[in-house]
Amino acid sequence: METSTGLDNRKLMMWLFLASDCLFFGSLIAAYLLYRDRSLVGPYPGDLFDIPFTSVSAFVLLMSSVTMVLALSCIQRGDRRGMQVWLFTTAVLGLLFIAGQAYEFTEFNHEGLSLSTNLFGTTFFVLTGFHGAHVTLGIVVLLSLFVASLQGRIQQKDSLNVELAGLYWHFVDIVWIVIFTLIYLIQP
Amino acid sequence: MTLAHYRKGQTDAEGAEGEVHLEPGGHAHPSAAEYLKIGAILVVVTSIEVALYYVGMSETALVAVMMPLSWLKFILVVLWFMHLRFDNPFFRQLFFAGLALAIVVFTVAMATLGGKLV
């Protein structure tokens, strides 16, 4: 499936999507930074953020990027078993990250922060919620690939499928790299 | 850039069994050991970031140090894990054009509406 440029259509589409998603998350991050200090009532970021916990989540997502690229490396070498192990590990790490985010959201809610409490709550939950939705979609894709490979439907010649899933997965990782620094570590 | 440029190296993609798939104009992907090295660097840089958070630097200094570290991690993942360093240059141009546009929109929005990082 190649374009007139000789490039694969699916890969071109994925890169185009990721480029457009930069704008999507860029806008959400800008909205958060613009409105986080304009809340009329608490709680405020400094009252809620648990940096040690979020740091562990960030490490988990970073490591999932390593396991993802190892899965791709395996299938490109024809090692299907290795790819299955690393794909499943990546999905588990993704699930751990989402579990951590669910815990964080629940804790914040118990502290009185909801989507409609103040501008901080609205922009924070929309930004991190959309990121979490991206991660969740990525987990579904990874598990689908894992099941397909168990059924023998992912061979070395199909490595592009794993590569496309990997591109998406690494993108949610780089978005978290930015969110972790700008939203959590750099606070007023 | 011409069509011929993108097609350059197209025959490389038609490798034999066991060879790595390459996009036209691309180069071989790194080994697993190299990926692990990049992963280790990412862990170290993230650890430094978290440690700096607890040092108690001024807000301006924190931004000045954190932003390059975050950018380093971003670039490492994009160039090595997403293979933009090794893949067809068109993908790199496409992604960085989107990223540049996002940074421009971000900067204009922050400047116009009075936003600040700290």
Side-chain angles (χ1 to χ4, degrees), chain A residues 34-56:
Chain A
L34 282 167
Y35 290 116
R36 115 187 117 179
D37 303 327
R38 299 184 188 184
S39 298
L40 299 176
V41 294
Y44 304 101
D47 304 329
L48 298 176
F49 285 167
D50 181 353
I51 298 302
F53 181 82
T54 314
S55 301
V56 173

Side-chain angles (χ1 to χ4, degrees), chain A residues 23 30 39 59 71 76 112 128 149 176-177:
Chain A
L23 278 160
S39 298
F59 276 113
Q76 285 178 333
T128 54
S149 72
W176 190 253
I177 285 173

Side-chain angles (χ1 to χ4, degrees), chain A residues 64-99:
Chain A
S64 76
S65 252
V66 178
T67 56
M68 182 69 236
V69 82
L70 289 176
L72 176 63
S73 180
C74 282
I75 192 63
Q76 285 178 333
R77 284 184 280 108
D79 178 6
R80 279 181 54 224
R81 181 71 187 153
M83 178 205 65
Q84 288 166 358
V85 169
W86 290 122
L87 264 186
F88 188 72
T89 307
T90 308
V92 169
L93 289 172
L95 281 168
L96 266 175
F97 177 84
I98 287 297

Side-chain angles (χ1 to χ4, degrees), chain A residues 4 6 11 36 38 62-63 186, chain B residues 3 24 46 87 113 117-118:
Chain A
S4 58
K11 200 165 174 180
R36 115 187 117 179
R38 299 184 188 184
L62 269 180
M63 288 307 97
I186 300 177
Chain B
L3 188 65
T46 306
D87 236 331
L113 301 171
L117 291 178
V118 288

Side-chain angles (χ1 to χ4, degrees), chain B residues 42-56:
Chain B
L42 291 172
V43 168
V44 170
V45 174
T46 306
S47 303
I48 292 170
E49 280 185 320
V50 175
L52 285 172
Y53 172 82
Y54 288 104
V55 166

Side-chain angles (χ1 to χ4, degrees), chain A:
Chain A
M1 288 199 289
E2 289 182 348
T3 61
S4 58
T5 60
L7 302 173
D8 188 278
N9 265 327
R10 291 168 296 170
K11 200 165 174 180
L12 196 56
M13 182 215 68
M14 178 56 80
W15 276 114
L16 201 56
F17 166 70
L18 297 181
S20 68
D21 230 16
C22 285
L23 278 160
F24 178 73
F25 278 107
S27 304
L28 291 180
I29 292 170
Y32 173 83
L33 293 175
L34 282 167
Y35 290 116
R36 115 187 117 179
D37 303 327
R38 299 184 188 184
S39 298
L40 299 176
V41 294
Y44 304 101
D47 304 329
L48 298 176
F49 285 167
D50 181 353
I51 298 302
F53 181 82
T54 314
S55 301
V56 173
S57 289
F59 276 113
V60 166
L61 204 58
L62 269 180
M63 288 307 97
S64 76
S65 252
V66 178
T67 56
M68 182 69 236
V69 82
L70 289 176
L72 176 63
S73 180
C74 282
I75 192 63
Q76 285 178 333
R77 284 184 280 108
D79 178 6
R80 279 181 54 224
R81 181 71 187 153
M83 178 205 65
Q84 288 166 358
V85 169
W86 290 122
L87 264 186
F88 188 72
T89 307
T90 308
V92 169
L93 289 172
L95 281 168
L96 266 175
F97 177 84
I98 287 297
Q101 193 171 42
Y103 171 79
E104 184 187 47
F105 280 15
T106 308
E107 284 296 303
F108 285 8
N109 198 252
H110 286 160
E111 296 290 329
L113 187 73
S114 73
L115 196 62
S116 56
T117 304
N118 54 22
L119 285 171
F120 159 58
T122 304
T123 51
F124 174 81
F125 282 124
V126 169
L127 169 60
T128 54
F130 266 113
H131 179 265
H134 274 68
V135 176
T136 306
L137 180 62
I139 293 168
V140 172
V141 171
L142 290 175
L143 290 177
S144 303
L145 279 174
F146 177 69
V147 171
S149 72
L150 288 180
Q151 295 170 340
R153 290 190 284 127
I154 303 285
Q155 306 292 333
Q156 187 178 7
K157 63 180 172 54
D158 308 310
S159 67
L160 185 64
N161 294 328
V162 181
E163 186 170 358
L164 294 177
L167 289 177
Y168 178 81
W169 191 259
H170 297 310
F171 180 77
V172 298
D173 184 33
I174 58 174
V175 170
W176 190 253
I177 285 173
V178 176
I179 289 176
F180 181 59
T181 304
L182 282 180
I183 276 66
Y184 287 91
L185 294 181
I186 300 177
Q187 290 179 50

